[in-house]
Amino acid sequence: MHERDADRAHEDDVWLAGALSRFSRDRDPALRDEIVERANWLAVRAARRFVDRGEPFDDLLQVARLGLLKAVDRFDLSLGVPFGAYATPTVMGELRRYFRDHTWSVHVSRRAKDLRPMVNAASDKLAGELGRSPKVAEIAAVLDLGEDAVLEALEANNAYRAHVLDPAGTGHTPPVDGGFEDVLDRDLVQHLLDRLPARERTILVLRFFEGMTQSQIAERIGTSQVHVGRLITSSLAVLRAHLSAASRDTSG
Amino acid sequence: MAEAALQSAEPGVAPNGPVQLCVPPEPSMSRVARLAASGLASLAGCTVDEIEDIKIAVSEVLIALIEHGEGGRIDLEFDLARPGTVAGPHGAAFVVRGRSPVTSFALDHPDLLLCRTVLEGVCTSAEIGTVEGHAQIVAVVAMAEPN
Protein backbone atom coordinates (compact mmCIF):
# COMPACT_ATOMS: atom_id res chain seq x y z
CA MET A 1 0.00 0.00 0.00
CA HIS A 2 1.22 3.53 -0.75
CA GLU A 3 2.37 5.39 2.38
CA ARG A 4 -0.15 8.18 1.92
CA ASP A 5 -2.93 5.69 1.43
CA ALA A 6 -1.86 3.90 4.55
CA ASP A 7 -1.97 7.10 6.59
CA ARG A 8 -5.35 7.99 5.23
CA ALA A 9 -6.66 4.50 5.85
CA HIS A 10 -5.46 4.68 9.41
CA GLU A 11 -7.16 8.03 10.02
CA ASP A 12 -10.36 6.74 8.52
CA ASP A 13 -10.16 3.58 10.53
CA VAL A 14 -10.01 5.63 13.72
CA TRP A 15 -13.06 7.66 12.74
CA LEU A 16 -14.83 4.63 11.34
CA ALA A 17 -14.32 2.59 14.48
CA GLY A 18 -16.42 5.08 16.41
CA ALA A 19 -18.99 5.51 13.71
CA LEU A 20 -19.34 1.79 13.10
CA SER A 21 -19.75 1.22 16.79
CA ARG A 22 -22.65 3.67 16.82
CA PHE A 23 -24.07 2.18 13.62
CA SER A 24 -23.97 -1.35 14.99
CA ARG A 25 -26.05 -0.10 17.89
CA ASP A 26 -28.47 2.29 16.17
CA ARG A 27 -28.56 1.10 12.54
CA ASP A 28 -29.13 4.71 11.57
CA PRO A 29 -29.34 4.99 7.74
CA ALA A 30 -27.99 8.55 7.81
CA LEU A 31 -24.95 7.41 9.72
CA ARG A 32 -24.49 4.58 7.25
CA ASP A 33 -24.52 7.08 4.38
CA GLU A 34 -21.93 9.15 6.24
CA ILE A 35 -19.73 6.13 6.79
CA VAL A 36 -19.93 5.22 3.12
CA GLU A 37 -19.04 8.75 2.09
CA ARG A 38 -16.12 8.80 4.45
CA ALA A 39 -14.89 5.43 3.24
CA ASN A 40 -15.56 6.18 -0.42
CA TRP A 41 -11.84 6.19 -1.15
CA LEU A 42 -11.90 2.43 -0.60
CA ALA A 43 -14.47 2.08 -3.36
CA VAL A 44 -12.54 4.41 -5.65
CA ARG A 45 -9.32 2.51 -5.16
CA ALA A 46 -10.97 -0.86 -5.74
CA ALA A 47 -12.81 0.37 -8.83
CA ARG A 48 -9.57 1.68 -10.33
CA ARG A 49 -8.12 -1.82 -10.24
CA PHE A 50 -10.72 -2.92 -12.77
CA VAL A 51 -10.66 0.12 -14.97
CA ASP A 52 -8.74 -1.54 -17.78
CA ARG A 53 -11.47 -4.06 -18.45
CA GLY A 54 -13.48 -1.82 -20.71
CA GLU A 55 -16.18 -0.76 -18.27
CA PRO A 56 -16.95 2.89 -17.53
CA PHE A 57 -15.36 3.98 -14.27
CA ASP A 58 -18.69 5.37 -13.03
CA ASP A 59 -20.22 1.93 -13.32
CA LEU A 60 -17.37 0.31 -11.49
CA LEU A 61 -17.56 2.87 -8.73
CA GLN A 62 -21.27 2.28 -8.38
CA VAL A 63 -20.67 -1.43 -7.94
CA ALA A 64 -17.81 -0.80 -5.52
CA ARG A 65 -20.01 1.50 -3.42
CA LEU A 66 -22.62 -1.22 -3.27
CA GLY A 67 -19.96 -3.51 -1.90
CA LEU A 68 -19.02 -0.83 0.57
CA LEU A 69 -22.60 -0.58 1.79
CA LYS A 70 -22.71 -4.32 2.30
CA ALA A 71 -19.46 -4.16 4.22
CA VAL A 72 -20.89 -1.47 6.50
CA ASP A 73 -24.00 -3.53 7.11
CA ARG A 74 -22.09 -6.71 7.86
CA PHE A 75 -19.09 -5.38 9.73
CA ASP A 76 -18.69 -6.93 13.13
CA LEU A 77 -16.60 -4.96 15.61
CA SER A 78 -15.96 -8.07 17.63
CA LEU A 79 -13.83 -9.41 14.77
CA GLY A 80 -11.13 -7.04 15.92
CA VAL A 81 -10.00 -6.00 12.44
CA PRO A 82 -9.94 -2.49 10.97
CA PHE A 83 -12.90 -1.66 8.78
CA GLY A 84 -10.64 -1.09 5.75
CA ALA A 85 -9.19 -4.56 6.03
CA TYR A 86 -12.67 -6.02 6.26
CA ALA A 87 -14.28 -3.90 3.57
CA THR A 88 -11.66 -4.23 0.85
CA PRO A 89 -12.26 -7.92 0.12
CA THR A 90 -16.01 -7.32 0.28
CA VAL A 91 -15.78 -4.49 -2.25
CA MET A 92 -13.42 -6.47 -4.48
CA GLY A 93 -15.77 -9.42 -4.29
CA GLU A 94 -18.63 -7.25 -5.41
CA LEU A 95 -16.61 -6.06 -8.38
CA ARG A 96 -15.63 -9.60 -9.31
CA ARG A 97 -19.24 -10.71 -9.12
CA TYR A 98 -20.10 -7.80 -11.35
CA PHE A 99 -17.76 -9.08 -14.02
CA ARG A 100 -18.81 -12.66 -13.45
CA ASP A 101 -22.48 -11.80 -13.90
CA HIS A 102 -21.84 -9.18 -16.48
CA THR A 103 -22.63 -11.46 -19.33
CA TRP A 104 -24.94 -11.16 -22.24
CA SER A 105 -28.31 -12.23 -20.89
CA VAL A 106 -29.61 -13.15 -24.33
CA HIS A 107 -27.87 -14.07 -27.50
CA VAL A 108 -26.53 -10.92 -29.09
CA SER A 109 -24.89 -11.03 -32.47
CA ARG A 110 -21.19 -10.40 -32.80
CA ARG A 111 -21.99 -7.44 -35.01
CA ALA A 112 -24.15 -5.85 -32.32
CA LYS A 113 -21.51 -6.43 -29.67
CA ASP A 114 -18.85 -4.88 -31.85
CA LEU A 115 -20.96 -1.94 -32.94
CA ARG A 116 -22.41 -1.12 -29.53
CA PRO A 117 -19.58 1.12 -28.28
CA MET A 118 -19.37 2.97 -31.59
CA VAL A 119 -23.11 3.52 -31.79
CA ASN A 120 -23.25 4.73 -28.19
CA ALA A 121 -20.40 7.14 -28.77
CA ALA A 122 -21.93 8.47 -31.98
CA SER A 123 -25.31 8.86 -30.29
CA ASP A 124 -23.83 10.88 -27.46
CA LYS A 125 -21.72 13.00 -29.82
CA LEU A 126 -24.67 13.75 -32.06
CA ALA A 127 -26.86 14.59 -29.08
CA GLY A 128 -24.29 17.18 -28.06
CA GLU A 129 -24.02 18.62 -31.54
CA LEU A 130 -27.71 18.65 -32.34
CA GLY A 131 -28.94 19.69 -28.91
CA ARG A 132 -31.51 16.91 -29.01
CA SER A 133 -31.68 13.16 -29.08
CA PRO A 134 -30.52 11.92 -32.50
CA LYS A 135 -32.54 9.79 -34.86
CA VAL A 136 -31.42 6.32 -35.80
CA ALA A 137 -30.90 7.41 -39.39
CA GLU A 138 -28.55 10.16 -38.27
CA ILE A 139 -26.43 7.75 -36.27
CA ALA A 140 -26.42 5.32 -39.20
CA ALA A 141 -25.29 8.06 -41.56
CA VAL A 142 -22.42 9.13 -39.34
CA LEU A 143 -21.16 5.56 -38.98
CA ASP A 144 -22.01 4.51 -42.52
CA LEU A 145 -24.17 1.71 -41.21
CA GLY A 146 -27.65 0.43 -41.90
CA GLU A 147 -30.38 1.51 -39.52
CA ASP A 148 -30.99 -2.11 -38.57
CA ALA A 149 -27.43 -2.42 -37.34
CA VAL A 150 -27.85 0.71 -35.22
CA LEU A 151 -31.12 -0.56 -33.73
CA GLU A 152 -29.56 -3.91 -32.95
CA ALA A 153 -26.62 -2.23 -31.24
CA LEU A 154 -28.93 0.00 -29.20
CA GLU A 155 -30.93 -3.04 -28.13
CA ALA A 156 -27.71 -4.80 -27.18
CA ASN A 157 -27.27 -2.15 -24.47
CA ASN A 158 -30.22 -3.63 -22.63
CA ALA A 159 -29.00 -7.20 -22.95
CA TYR A 160 -25.57 -6.12 -21.81
CA ARG A 161 -26.88 -4.55 -18.63
CA ALA A 162 -29.54 -7.02 -17.68
CA HIS A 163 -27.94 -8.09 -14.41
CA VAL A 164 -25.91 -5.12 -13.34
CA LEU A 165 -27.83 -4.12 -10.28
CA ASP A 166 -27.90 -6.26 -7.24
CA PRO A 167 -31.37 -6.24 -5.77
CA ALA A 168 -30.00 -6.17 -2.25
CA GLY A 169 -30.95 -3.18 -0.16
CA THR A 170 -28.66 -0.22 -0.40
CA GLY A 171 -29.37 3.17 1.00
CA HIS A 172 -31.80 5.43 2.66
CA THR A 173 -34.40 7.02 0.42
CA PRO A 174 -35.60 10.55 0.97
CA PRO A 175 -39.37 10.87 0.76
CA VAL A 176 -40.70 11.02 -2.78
CA ASP A 177 -43.42 13.47 -3.62
CA GLY A 178 -45.75 13.25 -6.54
CA GLY A 179 -46.94 10.72 -9.08
CA PHE A 180 -46.27 7.43 -7.37
CA GLU A 181 -48.60 8.26 -4.53
CA ASP A 182 -51.48 8.58 -6.93
CA VAL A 183 -51.11 5.00 -7.92
CA LEU A 184 -48.99 3.09 -5.50
CA ASP A 185 -48.97 2.88 -1.75
CA ARG A 186 -46.45 5.31 -0.32
CA ASP A 187 -44.80 2.73 1.91
CA LEU A 188 -44.50 0.34 -0.98
CA VAL A 189 -42.88 2.98 -3.16
CA GLN A 190 -40.50 3.91 -0.38
CA HIS A 191 -39.65 0.27 0.13
CA LEU A 192 -39.00 -0.28 -3.57
CA LEU A 193 -36.90 2.81 -4.10
CA ASP A 194 -34.90 2.03 -0.99
CA ARG A 195 -33.51 -0.89 -2.93
CA LEU A 196 -31.85 1.32 -5.48
CA PRO A 197 -28.66 3.33 -5.24
CA ALA A 198 -29.16 7.08 -4.97
CA ARG A 199 -28.32 7.77 -8.58
CA GLU A 200 -30.83 5.23 -9.88
CA ARG A 201 -33.50 6.67 -7.59
CA THR A 202 -32.78 10.12 -8.91
CA ILE A 203 -32.97 8.96 -12.51
CA LEU A 204 -36.29 7.21 -12.01
CA VAL A 205 -37.78 10.22 -10.27
CA LEU A 206 -36.58 12.57 -13.01
CA ARG A 207 -37.81 10.29 -15.76
CA PHE A 208 -41.12 9.11 -14.40
CA PHE A 209 -42.24 11.94 -12.15
CA GLU A 210 -40.65 15.02 -13.62
CA GLY A 211 -41.04 13.93 -17.23
CA MET A 212 -37.45 14.56 -18.27
CA THR A 213 -36.13 12.71 -21.31
CA GLN A 214 -33.18 10.39 -21.07
CA SER A 215 -31.00 12.98 -22.78
CA GLN A 216 -32.09 15.70 -20.36
CA ILE A 217 -31.37 13.45 -17.41
CA ALA A 218 -27.99 12.57 -18.87
CA GLU A 219 -27.13 16.25 -19.09
CA ARG A 220 -28.41 16.89 -15.58
CA ILE A 221 -26.38 14.17 -13.91
CA GLY A 222 -23.38 14.35 -16.21
CA THR A 223 -23.49 11.03 -18.02
CA SER A 224 -24.58 9.73 -21.40
CA GLN A 225 -28.12 9.11 -22.63
CA VAL A 226 -27.17 5.54 -23.33
CA HIS A 227 -26.04 5.06 -19.76
CA VAL A 228 -29.24 6.61 -18.44
CA GLY A 229 -31.25 4.24 -20.61
CA ARG A 230 -29.37 1.25 -19.31
CA LEU A 231 -29.82 2.33 -15.71
CA ILE A 232 -33.55 2.84 -16.19
CA THR A 233 -33.92 -0.61 -17.70
CA SER A 234 -31.92 -2.34 -14.98
CA SER A 235 -33.57 -0.31 -12.20
CA LEU A 236 -37.04 -1.23 -13.40
CA ALA A 237 -35.98 -4.87 -13.47
CA VAL A 238 -34.83 -4.57 -9.86
CA LEU A 239 -38.09 -2.90 -8.80
CA ARG A 240 -40.10 -5.57 -10.55
CA ALA A 241 -38.09 -8.34 -8.92
CA HIS A 242 -38.65 -6.84 -5.50
CA LEU A 243 -42.33 -6.34 -6.17
CA SER A 244 -42.70 -9.95 -7.25
CA ALA A 245 -40.84 -11.13 -4.18
CA ALA A 246 -43.03 -8.96 -1.96
CA SER A 247 -46.14 -10.35 -3.63
CA ARG A 248 -44.94 -13.89 -3.10
CA ASP A 249 -44.23 -13.16 0.56
CA THR A 250 -47.68 -11.67 1.00
CA SER A 251 -49.50 -14.49 -0.70
CA GLY A 252 -47.33 -17.14 0.94
CA MET B 1 -56.67 10.42 -21.62
CA ALA B 2 -57.37 6.70 -21.69
CA GLU B 3 -60.06 7.38 -24.24
CA ALA B 4 -57.50 9.12 -26.39
CA ALA B 5 -55.26 6.08 -26.10
CA LEU B 6 -57.95 3.77 -27.37
CA GLN B 7 -59.07 6.18 -30.05
CA SER B 8 -55.56 6.61 -31.37
CA ALA B 9 -55.06 2.87 -31.30
CA GLU B 10 -57.74 2.23 -33.87
CA PRO B 11 -56.18 -0.02 -36.49
CA GLY B 12 -55.17 1.41 -39.79
CA VAL B 13 -54.31 4.95 -38.75
CA ALA B 14 -50.69 4.56 -39.81
CA PRO B 15 -50.00 4.96 -43.52
CA ASN B 16 -49.31 1.29 -43.91
CA GLY B 17 -51.43 -0.02 -41.05
CA PRO B 18 -50.35 -1.54 -37.77
CA VAL B 19 -47.60 -4.07 -37.29
CA GLN B 20 -48.86 -7.11 -35.45
CA LEU B 21 -46.97 -9.78 -33.55
CA CYS B 22 -48.32 -12.87 -31.84
CA VAL B 23 -45.80 -14.15 -29.32
CA PRO B 24 -45.69 -16.93 -26.74
CA PRO B 25 -45.81 -15.68 -23.13
CA GLU B 26 -42.07 -15.89 -22.62
CA PRO B 27 -39.83 -13.11 -21.24
CA SER B 28 -37.34 -13.85 -24.01
CA MET B 29 -39.91 -12.49 -26.44
CA SER B 30 -39.36 -9.05 -25.00
CA ARG B 31 -36.27 -8.52 -27.13
CA VAL B 32 -38.10 -9.66 -30.26
CA ALA B 33 -40.94 -7.27 -29.56
CA ARG B 34 -38.66 -4.40 -28.67
CA LEU B 35 -36.66 -4.79 -31.86
CA ALA B 36 -39.80 -4.88 -33.97
CA ALA B 37 -41.18 -1.82 -32.23
CA SER B 38 -37.92 0.08 -32.49
CA GLY B 39 -37.71 -0.76 -36.18
CA LEU B 40 -41.11 0.74 -36.83
CA ALA B 41 -40.32 3.71 -34.62
CA SER B 42 -37.12 4.32 -36.52
CA LEU B 43 -38.99 4.22 -39.81
CA ALA B 44 -41.33 6.82 -38.35
CA GLY B 45 -38.38 9.08 -37.56
CA CYS B 46 -38.42 8.72 -33.79
CA THR B 47 -35.37 9.90 -31.87
CA VAL B 48 -33.27 7.57 -29.75
CA ASP B 49 -34.96 8.99 -26.63
CA GLU B 50 -38.39 8.22 -28.06
CA ILE B 51 -37.32 4.77 -29.15
CA GLU B 52 -36.01 4.02 -25.67
CA ASP B 53 -39.35 5.09 -24.20
CA ILE B 54 -41.20 2.94 -26.71
CA LYS B 55 -39.04 -0.04 -25.81
CA ILE B 56 -39.72 0.49 -22.11
CA ALA B 57 -43.45 0.60 -22.88
CA VAL B 58 -43.27 -2.58 -24.95
CA SER B 59 -41.41 -4.40 -22.19
CA GLU B 60 -43.89 -3.27 -19.55
CA VAL B 61 -46.88 -4.30 -21.64
CA LEU B 62 -45.43 -7.68 -22.46
CA ILE B 63 -44.21 -8.48 -18.95
CA ALA B 64 -47.55 -7.47 -17.40
CA LEU B 65 -49.41 -9.74 -19.79
CA ILE B 66 -46.98 -12.60 -19.23
CA GLU B 67 -47.14 -12.35 -15.45
CA HIS B 68 -50.85 -11.72 -15.16
CA GLY B 69 -52.21 -13.41 -18.23
CA GLU B 70 -53.23 -17.02 -18.20
CA GLY B 71 -50.52 -18.46 -20.38
CA GLY B 72 -52.12 -17.83 -23.73
CA ARG B 73 -50.31 -16.25 -26.63
CA ILE B 74 -49.97 -12.50 -26.54
CA ASP B 75 -51.03 -10.26 -29.38
CA LEU B 76 -48.95 -7.14 -29.76
CA GLU B 77 -49.75 -4.34 -32.11
CA PHE B 78 -47.64 -1.31 -32.96
CA ASP B 79 -49.12 1.59 -34.81
CA LEU B 80 -48.49 5.21 -35.61
CA ALA B 81 -51.27 7.49 -34.46
CA ARG B 82 -52.43 10.10 -36.91
CA PRO B 83 -51.19 13.63 -36.18
CA GLY B 84 -53.84 15.52 -34.29
CA THR B 85 -55.39 12.51 -32.59
CA VAL B 86 -53.30 12.64 -29.45
CA ALA B 87 -51.74 15.31 -27.29
CA GLY B 88 -48.22 16.47 -27.95
CA PRO B 89 -46.31 19.12 -29.87
CA HIS B 90 -47.18 17.55 -33.21
CA GLY B 91 -49.98 15.23 -32.18
CA ALA B 92 -48.25 12.19 -33.60
CA ALA B 93 -47.61 9.16 -31.48
CA PHE B 94 -46.49 5.58 -31.39
CA VAL B 95 -49.14 3.23 -30.06
CA VAL B 96 -48.39 -0.06 -28.33
CA ARG B 97 -51.31 -2.37 -27.73
CA GLY B 98 -51.07 -5.77 -26.03
CA ARG B 99 -53.84 -8.32 -25.54
CA SER B 100 -54.00 -11.73 -23.94
CA PRO B 101 -56.99 -13.93 -23.09
CA VAL B 102 -57.92 -13.93 -19.39
CA THR B 103 -60.85 -14.83 -17.21
CA SER B 104 -59.79 -12.34 -14.54
CA PHE B 105 -57.23 -9.56 -14.37
CA ALA B 106 -56.36 -8.11 -10.97
CA LEU B 107 -55.99 -4.44 -11.84
CA ASP B 108 -55.09 -3.54 -8.28
CA HIS B 109 -52.17 -5.97 -8.14
CA PRO B 110 -48.94 -4.13 -7.24
CA ASP B 111 -47.23 -5.42 -10.40
CA LEU B 112 -49.88 -3.83 -12.56
CA LEU B 113 -49.86 -0.65 -10.53
CA LEU B 114 -46.14 -0.39 -11.07
CA CYS B 115 -46.64 -1.14 -14.75
CA ARG B 116 -49.18 1.67 -14.95
CA THR B 117 -46.86 4.05 -13.15
CA VAL B 118 -43.99 3.29 -15.48
CA LEU B 119 -46.19 3.57 -18.55
CA GLU B 120 -47.58 6.89 -17.37
CA GLY B 121 -44.01 8.05 -16.97
CA VAL B 122 -42.99 7.36 -20.53
CA CYS B 123 -46.32 7.61 -22.33
CA THR B 124 -48.81 10.31 -23.21
CA SER B 125 -51.50 7.98 -22.02
CA ALA B 126 -51.87 4.42 -20.86
CA GLU B 127 -54.82 2.17 -20.21
CA ILE B 128 -54.87 -1.20 -18.51
CA GLY B 129 -58.11 -3.12 -18.50
CA THR B 130 -60.12 -5.98 -19.87
CA VAL B 131 -61.98 -6.10 -23.16
CA GLU B 132 -64.04 -9.04 -24.37
CA GLY B 133 -62.31 -11.69 -22.29
CA HIS B 134 -58.87 -10.27 -22.87
CA ALA B 135 -56.49 -8.30 -20.72
CA GLN B 136 -55.58 -5.26 -22.76
CA ILE B 137 -52.91 -2.64 -22.30
CA VAL B 138 -52.70 0.35 -24.58
CA ALA B 139 -49.78 2.75 -24.32
CA VAL B 140 -49.29 5.87 -26.41
CA VAL B 141 -45.83 7.41 -26.67
CA ALA B 142 -45.88 10.91 -28.13
CA MET B 143 -43.46 11.70 -30.94
CA ALA B 144 -41.86 15.11 -30.80
CA GLU B 145 -41.52 15.40 -34.53
CA PRO B 146 -43.19 13.23 -37.14
CA ASN B 147 -41.15 12.00 -40.06
Side-chain angles (χ1 to χ4, degrees), chain A residues 123-191:
Chain A
S123 177
D124 289 339
K125 186 167 184 285
L126 277 171
E129 291 171 0
L130 298 170
R132 60 166 170 79
S133 175
K135 297 182 179 185
V136 171
E138 292 166 338
I139 299 171
V142 165
L143 296 176
D144 195 22
L145 293 170
E147 291 185 33
D148 288 352
V150 175
L151 287 169
E152 203 180 344
L154 289 172
E155 180 61 19
N157 283 324
N158 299 104
Y160 191 56
R161 296 291 172 171
H163 299 298
V164 169
L165 289 175
D166 188 324
T170 53
H172 171 69
T173 307
V176 176
D177 297 323
F180 260 149
E181 290 180 58
D182 297 336
V183 183
L184 287 172
D185 175 79
R186 183 185 183 88
D187 290 340
L188 177 59
V189 171
Q190 198 77 31
H191 174 72

Side-chain angles (χ1 to χ4, degrees), chain A residues 12-231:
Chain A
D12 282 337
D13 280 344
V14 171
W15 181 85
L16 285 167
L20 286 162
S21 174
R22 280 182 282 135
F23 180 70
S24 68
R25 191 177 57 242
D26 304 336
R27 312 303 285 181
D28 176 8
L31 179 58
R32 180 171 68 164
D33 289 347
E34 193 179 352
I35 293 170
V36 169
E37 281 309 312
R38 187 69 178 256
N40 189 55
W41 64 274
L42 273 169
V44 171
R45 194 174 61 181
R48 280 184 185 145
R49 295 177 66 171
F50 292 84
V51 82
D52 60 347
R53 298 196 186 187
E55 290 301 302
F57 180 72
D58 282 353
D59 287 9
L60 297 175
L61 186 56
Q62 175 194 337
V63 175
R65 284 174 63 90
L66 186 59
L68 195 54
L69 275 166
K70 289 181 177 178
V72 172
D73 280 340
R74 297 171 186 169
F75 183 62
D76 182 353
L77 284 167
S78 66
L79 293 174
V81 297
F83 176 72
Y86 175 85
T88 298
T90 307
V91 172
M92 295 295 286
E94 196 66 27
L95 284 160
R96 290 194 189 95
R97 269 192 297 281
Y98 170 80
F99 282 99
R100 182 198 65 195
D101 297 340
H102 202 187
T103 55
W104 300 91
S105 59
V106 295
H107 174 74
V108 175
S109 72
R110 168 57 58 187
R111 179 179 71 160
K113 289 177 185 173
D114 291 343
L115 290 177
R116 193 181 67 86
M118 283 188 285
V119 167
N120 291 344
S123 177
D124 289 339
K125 186 167 184 285
L126 277 171
E129 291 171 0
L130 298 170
R132 60 166 170 79
S133 175
K135 297 182 179 185
V136 171
E138 292 166 338
I139 299 171
V142 165
L143 296 176
D144 195 22
L145 293 170
E147 291 185 33
D148 288 352
V150 175
L151 287 169
E152 203 180 344
L154 289 172
E155 180 61 19
N157 283 324
N158 299 104
Y160 191 56
R161 296 291 172 171
H163 299 298
V164 169
L165 289 175
D166 188 324
T170 53
H172 171 69
T173 307
V176 176
D177 297 323
F180 260 149
E181 290 180 58
D182 297 336
V183 183
L184 287 172
D185 175 79
R186 183 185 183 88
D187 290 340
L188 177 59
V189 171
Q190 198 77 31
H191 174 72
L192 287 172
L193 291 181
D194 269 343
R195 304 297 175 171
L196 296 174
R199 184 167 62 161
E200 278 70 8
R201 289 199 301 269
T202 301
I203 288 172
L204 291 190
V205 168
L206 292 175
R207 181 65 198 90
F208 296 113
F209 308 127
E210 298 189 13
M212 292 175 70
T213 66
Q214 291 186 10
S215 294
Q216 289 168 334
I217 296 169
E219 189 175 346
R220 166 81 73 90
I221 67 173
T223 187
S224 68
Q225 172 271 318
V226 170
H227 192 52
V228 170
R230 288 184 300 205
L231 291 175

Side-chain angles (χ1 to χ4, degrees), chain A residues 106-107 133-136 139 147 151 155 158 180 183-184 207-208 213-215 225 232 236 240 243 247, chain B residues 31 34 38-39 42 45-49 51-53 55-56 60 63 109-111 113-114 117-118 121-122:
Chain A
V106 295
H107 174 74
S133 175
K135 297 182 179 185
V136 171
I139 299 171
E147 291 185 33
L151 287 169
E155 180 61 19
N158 299 104
F180 260 149
V183 183
L184 287 172
R207 181 65 198 90
F208 296 113
T213 66
Q214 291 186 10
S215 294
Q225 172 271 318
I232 288 174
L236 289 178
R240 196 175 295 114
L243 202 50
S247 298
Chain B
R31 181 164 178 264
R34 288 160 56 97
S38 61
S42 176
C46 289
T47 66
V48 170
D49 271 350
I51 289 173
E52 290 300 321
D53 285 348
K55 292 199 298 188
I56 288 173
E60 289 298 323
I63 290 168
H109 191 284
D111 283 353
L113 296 177
L114 178 62
T117 303
V118 171
V122 297

